[in-house]
Amino acid sequence: MGKALFRNSCQRGLLTIFSSTGSKPLSLWDVHMQNGYYKQYMDPQIKSMVFEIGGTNVSTAYITCPKDRNVLGIVMPYLVMVVKNIHKYWSFEITILDDQNFRRRFRASNFQSTTQINQMSTAMPICLAEGWNQIQFNLADFTYRAYAKRFCEVLTVKVNANICIRRIYFAERLMPDHELPKEYKLFLPLSGKPRKRNGADEVKVMPRPSRDTIANEPQEIMKKASEVISEFQETKEKPSEITNETQETTENAGEITNEPQETMKKASDTKLEEVKEASKGSMTSNVSKASITQTEVTSKHSGTETVEIAPAETGVNDEKDPEGTAERESLKSNTGSKSSPPRRLEDVPEEDERALVE
């Protein structure tokens, strides 16, 4: 084993082992290219220099850090890689040293489907999204989960074809984007049309407040606070007013609904009274017209007696029927001044009784 490059150095924050933006990106790396290539060019998407490794065979085209059989000696547990997916087979390897002084190798590839853990190596799958990706590899966690050992340091890093690299670095903790330095960020173009600039950008300078405005600020704040409190109290009182209004509207609606019922009831009562009066008048007229008394009038015709029923004298029909009075006068003249009382059927002879029956 050669010497450790970073074991005796102070390792704090971020430590870069590969950057495509530098003039010599492979200063710490050994290059092994068999049926492969590598090149540095400007990426049109991020407008920055990138480094691409390619080849027909993944295992024969690769770069290794550090060179000359040395080791890194980095104790930072997080490995971060900024790479671009070029839709080809790709893999990378990391060799670490655990607390038992054993070398363990972790290999990730996009052609691996399952995770395989051996005594000294672990193979696992990795899936890249479209475009640029940021891979965060927790070495301490993987070492403990795979071998139940404690991570000590990183020895070597190996990147195989086919991949496009922007940066590879180690970190003592995962940092959010706003804490990262500018050169570690990956700036992607914003969606939409770019803003047109006419000369220099206009910078608006806000006027400095005077002493009077600074002295009056607390008073204005207290005034605004009192206004807010008064508005809040008014809003508290408004619901009671709204409830009273709703009650009044419901009472008015009840009165409105009762008015048609009262009018209908009055109309029905007046109609009933009119019908009763009309029925009383018709009954009296019919009774006066129908008051007829039966009188027995006797006359002798051909030796037999006949019983006739004539209507009694009424004041209503005297004018209309003058003939009735004449007939009564003629009957009176025929029978005499004194009318003979009617005979009973027992006094009538048998012959006359038979005639009456016939």
Side-chain angles (χ1 to χ4, degrees), residues 200-264:
D201 294 338
E202 295 181 359
V203 179
K204 293 183 179 181
V205 179
M206 298 298 292
R208 187 177 179 180
S210 61
R211 292 182 180 180
D212 296 334
T213 55
I214 293 170
N216 294 328
E217 278 182 358
Q219 296 177 359
E220 293 178 356
I221 292 168
M222 291 296 293
K223 187 177 179 180
K224 288 181 180 179
S226 62
E227 290 176 357
V228 171
I229 292 167
S230 62
E231 288 178 0
F232 180 72
Q233 291 176 355
E234 289 177 359
T235 53
K236 275 188 174 180
E237 294 174 356
K238 282 182 180 178
S240 61
E241 296 177 357
I242 293 166
T243 53
N244 293 328
E245 289 178 358
T246 52
Q247 290 177 1
E248 291 177 359
T249 52
T250 52
E251 290 176 358
N252 294 330
E255 293 176 358
I256 292 165
T257 52
N258 291 328
E259 285 179 359
Q261 294 179 0
E262 292 176 357
T263 52
M264 292 293 290

Side-chain angles (χ1 to χ4, degrees), residues 7 10 32-33 47 120 144 155 178 205-206 211 232 240 266 275 287 308 335:
R7 184 177 295 168
C10 181
H32 300 273
M33 288 294 160
K47 301 293 189 292
M120 295 296 174
Y144 182 78
L155 299 179
H178 66 273
V205 179
M206 298 298 292
R211 292 182 180 180
F232 180 72
S240 61
K266 289 179 181 178
V275 170
V287 169
E308 295 179 359
T335 56

